[in-house]
Amino acid sequence: MRAILGLLTLLVLGLVFFVVPPAEGLGYYVRLAFFHIPVAWVAVLAFFISAFEGGRFLQKGEMLADAKSAAAAQLGFFFVILATVSGAVFSKLTWGAYWNWDPRQTTIFVLLLIYGAYLTLRGAMPAGRRRAKAAAVYALFSFLTVPFLVFIIPRLYFSLHPSPVINGSGLAMDTVMLAVLIAALVDVTGIFYGLYKWQAKRLLAEEEDVCAK
């Protein structure tokens, strides 16, 4: 699996830097999109998994579900940071400033605050079912904000941010760009999945060690 992901990563990098053509109005700055879009997608996926596994914990009380929920939230926070940083670099290159409080920058900042609070809450509580329950409830309610902050609110206001790949006019990328983007999405999702499995296993082992003492 690691070898396949490694080869896919090299392939995607090669395609992005040597095959993807410049985009109208963005030039070669469009290359950043093939990193920014996948990490933003994975962040949303991770927060969904965190909420889903939190719900499973509340339903079944399995500590494995708690570990999976926490692992997904931690990785989601990390990928949101990557999306924020890559977006800020794009902003600097195209608009002249790293931060403009554009609607999408503002909503992603709010998302960072929400899940930063989740990590703080979880870190402040002792390990055990009480922490797992509180974290699960928080993960469920937090994810309710994600569709609004990522997909709905930014579309209600004027934004300097380029139009989404799929918008009211259809696909906003040519065939080559779209194919490379799909490859990048698969690659980053695979990387996330590997990290997610490893982190969930580690968190569960830590929980069991604490409970055994």
Side-chain angles (χ1 to χ4, degrees):
M1 182 66 176
R2 290 181 181 178
I4 294 174
L5 281 175
L7 290 173
L8 181 58
T9 300
L10 291 175
L11 175 62
V12 169
L13 289 173
L15 291 172
V16 169
F17 285 100
F18 299 108
V19 176
V20 170
E24 183 178 354
L26 297 176
Y28 284 109
Y29 293 156
V30 73
R31 290 170 174 168
L32 274 171
F34 297 92
F35 174 80
H36 177 72
I37 295 174
V39 297
W41 145 253
V42 165
V44 174
L45 175 63
F47 293 144
F48 169 76
I49 293 173
S50 178
F52 177 79
E53 292 295 340
R56 285 188 66 237
F57 171 80
L58 293 175
Q59 183 181 30
K60 299 184 178 181
E62 297 175 350
M63 294 307 293
L64 175 59
D66 171 63
K68 287 182 175 180
S69 178
Q74 291 170 0
L75 289 170
F77 186 76
F78 172 71
F79 277 95
V80 162
I81 291 176
L82 292 180
T84 304
V85 171
S86 59
V89 172
F90 183 85
S91 174
K92 176 65 175 178
L93 293 173
T94 56
W95 307 328
Y98 286 108
W99 200 262
N100 301 276
W101 291 109
D102 182 82
R104 290 185 183 273
Q105 289 180 325
T106 303
T107 54
I108 204 170
F109 177 72
V110 174
L111 202 60
L112 280 169
L113 292 179
I114 290 171
Y115 280 92
Y118 168 90
L119 297 178
T120 301
L121 171 68
R122 188 175 179 88
M125 297 181 69
R129 292 190 174 277
R130 182 168 173 268
R131 181 181 73 173
K133 184 176 181 180
V137 172
Y138 192 101
L140 282 168
F141 279 100
S142 295
F143 185 72
L144 294 177
T145 68
V146 173
F148 293 95
L149 292 174
V150 176
F151 302 112
I152 298 175
I153 295 177
R155 293 171 183 254
L156 298 178
Y157 302 94
F158 170 76
S159 174
L160 296 172
H161 191 283
S163 298
V165 174
I166 300 177
N167 53 44
S169 302
L171 291 174
M173 279 189 169
D174 65 25
T175 304
V176 173
M177 287 185 176
L178 186 61
V180 176
L181 178 60
I182 291 172
L185 287 167
V186 171
D187 184 39
V188 176
T189 302
I191 292 171
F192 160 74
Y193 180 69
L195 292 172
Y196 168 65
K197 286 179 62 180
W198 175 80
Q199 182 69 347
K201 184 178 180 180
R202 189 182 70 83
L203 290 177
L204 181 62
E206 287 182 358
E207 184 83 23
E208 290 174 343
D209 287 343
V210 170
C211 293
K213 292 179 181 179

